[in-house]
């Protein structure tokens, strides 16, 4: 029986009161039942809006502007019921774009053959004596056996042939002509590598001819409106009508936006992108393709698919060339996905000598240990703490984020803020630094308890002055309210607990992989820190708080967004793409939830201080 939106009453019985909501700037309108939150209405409308706390009212990131006749008002969408017709302005979602060209030279040396190529052709002109169809003359000029033309290529051909006097460029992938472009465009062949994180989506635009990354762009994964972690997303996908569809719609919407920004930034046309690789954790891969993730949640955590998936961009409605090839790299297990395969590809963990550990710190924490030709992996529900979600003033590493913290002997706080602006919040690397420094200076006890107002007689006065206690608990003031900022930026006791749980889960995972391999931390030759903020994490902070085992700092190396780098390598090199299949097969997955020693190791790892 048909139901009205958001109500359990069958249609046709008493009609619930409905109001019209108009979302700006796209002027999307829909009628929703009275009482539905603006956030839920935005979700129904497919409007881009984020909500990392999943609508609990705690993150403040769903702020929207209500445009009323008598003025405007900023409100939290999740806490605002629709109780009249509303006009809601959605703030422009932040996209950070970085121009860069540092894609591993290694890949260029190994094999730069992406699998798509462009070939310049001079096709003979027809005449009354030579009445041969365009496609036949084109294929004759191409001179390859058993090649088929895509419908798009067939449609473009007559026009392209006549635009530049028979000079065309054919885009080929294996035995298919994907497209035909007028003139010589062989210098312009592009690809897109996408890393779909639970919290952040990163896309890189790559010149497939040169193997060079032209720019990368990142934006929040607006699926977070339905929950911050993969479990919440799986629940939404499986328990809500159209849930799976909504989640896929949101991630595709983010990717489309990133493509548009990257194209504008680089002067590349969207339709010149002919190949795409995507990595993500297993849940993200499922949601990207709208494959039911229901069986990932309960034990034994079975994915719908784990092999490499190949399809065309038009099947997903991406704003690239419609016939662009999309490769979703293979997953390893229910909670170790293609992003981990990307990390292994980028770090060459499977080919390195000795004992090497890679820790990918994100909303989920994935850990890979490679030793003497074998590879083990596990994942921990690290929680979104490291990416700034579920932290009172947590934010992505964007302008205004505190990214580094030092506390001087006099108790003075030295904050490094991205973009040299006023601090707005704190990102993962800053959070790690801050907690490590606060433990070192005695504001946070080893157990994780934060001192409250009036405590800490031995503290430097400048630090003591920052201790605060309110009805919601103890907190530490990082930056007072100012003219440009209504509220003070603080670190709360709850934030410390979030980080503590996340780091203990990661550390317990590391210990379990080492013991599975029959090794100790003394055997480690190298520890690689991957993840969106891997480049920025201070290794001394990570060591001091026991996120990593007490290895010499010289053995720790940050490798940045290795999952994304792996996706880029698989994009420009077909052989590495094929190698990803081998890698996924080779990894032995260790399921932490089935390990009786996990709890013990987790409890051991809760302390926030480690001797180094
Ligand atoms: S405060 Fe509204 S989604 Fe977090």
């Amino acid at each position: 029986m048909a139901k009205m939106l958001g109500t359990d009453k069958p249609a046709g019985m008493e009609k619930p009161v409905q109001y019209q909501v108009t979302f700006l700037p796209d002027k999307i309108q829909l009628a929703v039942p009275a009482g539905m939150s603006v956030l839920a209405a935005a979700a129904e409308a497919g409007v881009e809006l984020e909500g990392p706390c999943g609508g609990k009212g705690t993150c403040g990131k769903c702020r929207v502007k209500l445009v009323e006749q008598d003025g405007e008002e900023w409100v939290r969408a999740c806490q605002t019921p629709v109780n009249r017709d509303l006009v809601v302005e959605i703030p422009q979602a932040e996209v950070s774009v970085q121009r860069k060209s540092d894609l591993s030279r290694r890949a260029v040396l190994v094999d730069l053959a992406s699998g798509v190529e462009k070939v310049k052709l001079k096709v003979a002109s027809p005449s009354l004596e030579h009445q041969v169809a365009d496609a036949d003359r084109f294929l004759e000029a191409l001179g390859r056996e058993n090649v088929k033309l895509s419908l798009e290529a067939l449609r473009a051909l007559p026009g392209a042939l006549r635009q530049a006097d028979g000079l065309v460029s054919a885009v080929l992938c294996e035995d298919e002509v994907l497209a035909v472009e007028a003139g010589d465009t062989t210098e312009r062949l592009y690809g897109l590598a996408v890393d779909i994180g639970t919290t952040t989506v990163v896309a890189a635009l790559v010149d497939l001819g040169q193997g060079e990354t032209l720019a990368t762009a990142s934006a929040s994964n607006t699926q977070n409106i339905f929950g911050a972690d993969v479990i919440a997303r799986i629940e939404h996908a499986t328990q809500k009508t159209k849930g799976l569809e909504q989640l896929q719609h949101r991630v595709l919407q983010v990717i489309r936006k990133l493509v548009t920004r990257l194209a504008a930034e680089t002067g590349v046309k969207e339709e010149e992108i002919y190949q795409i690789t995507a990595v993500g954790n297993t849940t993200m891969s499922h949601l990207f393709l709208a494959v039911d993730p229901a069986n990932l949640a309960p034990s034994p955590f079975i994915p719908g698919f784990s092999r490499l998936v190949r399809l065309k961009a038009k099947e997903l409605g991406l704003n690239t060339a419609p016939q662009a090839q999309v490769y979703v790299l293979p997953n390893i297990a229910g909670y170790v996905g293609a992003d981990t395969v990307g990390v292994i590809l980028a770090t060459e963990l499977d080919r390195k000598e000795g004992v090497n550990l890679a820790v990918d710190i994100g909303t989920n924490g994935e850990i890979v240990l490679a030793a003497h030709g074998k590879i083990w992996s596990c994942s921990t529900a690290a929680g979104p703490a490291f990416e700034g979600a579920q932290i009172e003033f947590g934010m992505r590493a964007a302008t205004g984020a505190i990214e580094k913290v030092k506390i001087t002997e006099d108790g003075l706080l030295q904050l490094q803020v991205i973009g040299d602006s006023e601090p707005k919040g704190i990102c993962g690397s800053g959070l790690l630094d801050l907690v490590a420094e606060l433990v070192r200076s005695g504001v946070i006890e080893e157990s994780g308890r934060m001192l409250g107002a009036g405590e800490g007689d031995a503290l430097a006065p400048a630090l003591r002055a920052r201790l605060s206690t309110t009805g919601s608990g103890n907190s530490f003031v990082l930056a007072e309210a100012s003219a440009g900022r209504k509220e003070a930026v603080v670190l709360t006791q709850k934030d410390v607990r979030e980080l503590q749980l996340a780091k203990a889960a990661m550390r317990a995972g590391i210990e379990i992989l080492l013991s599975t391999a029959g090794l100790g931390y003394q055997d480690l030759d190298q520890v690689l820190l991957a993840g969106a903020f891997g480049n920025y994490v201070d290794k001394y902070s990570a060591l001091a708080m026991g996120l990593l085992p007490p290895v010499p700092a010289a053995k720790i190396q940050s490798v940045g967004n290795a999952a994304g780098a792996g996706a880029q390598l698989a994009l420009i090199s077909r052989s590495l793409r094929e190698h990803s299949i081998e890698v996924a097969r080779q990894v032995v997955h260790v399921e932490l939830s089935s390990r009786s020693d996990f709890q013990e190791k987790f409890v051991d790892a809760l302390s926030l201080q480690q001797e180094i």
Side-chain angles (χ1 to χ4, degrees), residues 385-396:
F386 292 121
E387 294 202 52
Q390 292 190 352
I391 297 295
E392 181 98 18
F393 280 87
M395 64 181 284
R396 291 191 304 121

Side-chain angles (χ1 to χ4, degrees), residues 70-350:
D70 51 352
E72 299 171 340
E73 186 194 356
W74 283 95
V75 295
R76 281 177 297 172
C78 67
Q79 303 301 307
T80 307
V82 178
N83 49 19
R84 59 196 183 283
D85 288 348
L86 289 178
V87 178
V88 179
E89 189 178 322
I90 305 285
Q92 268 297 313
E94 217 176 314
V95 179
S96 348
V97 185
Q98 258 186 311
R99 270 186 167 267
K100 62 175 201 176
S101 57
D102 66 347
L103 183 58
S104 167
R105 302 240 163 255
R106 176 180 84 80
V108 179
L109 295 176
V110 171
D111 171 26
L112 180 55
S114 65
V116 274
E117 55 174 329
K118 262 191 183 178
V119 183
K120 180 175 72 175
L121 297 172
K122 181 82 174 107
V123 179
S125 302
S127 63
L128 260 183
E129 295 71 42
H130 191 59
Q131 284 181 323
V132 179
D134 291 342
D136 294 336
R137 297 194 323 282
F138 168 83
L139 287 172
E140 196 184 323
L142 186 61
R144 297 198 192 180
E145 297 285 308
N146 301 322
V147 169
K148 61 176 190 268
L149 274 100
S150 72
L151 184 57
E152 288 81 4
L154 210 50
R155 285 175 176 160
L157 191 57
L161 282 177
R162 284 155 188 88
Q163 239 183 66
D165 206 15
L167 183 67
V168 291
S169 299
V171 184
L172 287 145
C173 177
E174 294 165 10
D175 59 354
E176 187 178 13
V177 179
L178 299 181
V180 179
E181 296 173 353
D184 178 2
T185 60
T186 46
E187 300 281 289
R188 301 182 65 82
L189 182 61
Y190 303 97
L192 187 80
V194 190
D195 174 18
I196 308 169
T198 312
T199 305
T200 308
V201 183
V202 186
L205 183 65
V206 179
D207 180 329
L208 293 179
Q210 304 298 319
E212 196 185 349
T213 301
L214 303 177
T216 58
S218 62
S220 286
N221 183 342
T222 56
Q223 288 176 340
N224 61 16
I225 201 171
F226 302 120
D229 53 38
V230 292
I231 295 297
R233 309 268 172 92
I234 295 171
E235 266 173 25
H236 184 83
T238 52
Q239 289 169 16
K240 295 282 187 296
T241 320
K242 293 204 194 147
L244 182 56
E245 212 178 299
Q246 287 175 327
L247 286 158
Q248 187 196 32
H249 168 81
R250 289 206 155 241
V251 71
L252 293 177
Q253 189 179 45
V254 174
I255 295 171
R256 281 194 287 265
K257 186 177 66 183
L258 293 177
V259 170
T260 303
R261 278 301 301 271
L262 286 168
E265 182 71 19
T266 56
V268 167
K269 293 192 203 106
E270 294 175 353
E271 60 275 18
E272 290 179 308
I273 299 172
Y274 282 106
Q275 185 154 284
I276 299 159
T277 49
V279 298
N281 61 52
T282 310
T283 305
M284 290 304 121
S285 299
H286 279 58
L287 299 180
F288 177 57
L289 297 175
V291 174
D292 186 358
N295 300 308
L296 283 171
S299 178
F301 319 114
I302 300 303
F305 65 95
S306 59
R307 296 188 186 192
L308 183 140
V309 176
R310 178 175 171 174
L311 68 161
K312 290 204 170 174
K314 62 184 169 189
E315 295 176 69
L316 296 171
L318 288 173
N319 51 342
T320 57
Q323 60 282 35
Q325 305 292 303
V326 183
Y327 298 91
V328 182
L329 295 197
N331 295 308
I332 294 168
Y335 287 92
V336 184
D339 47 359
T340 302
V341 173
V343 170
I344 299 173
L345 283 186
T347 57
E348 295 189 293
L349 215 60
D350 57 323

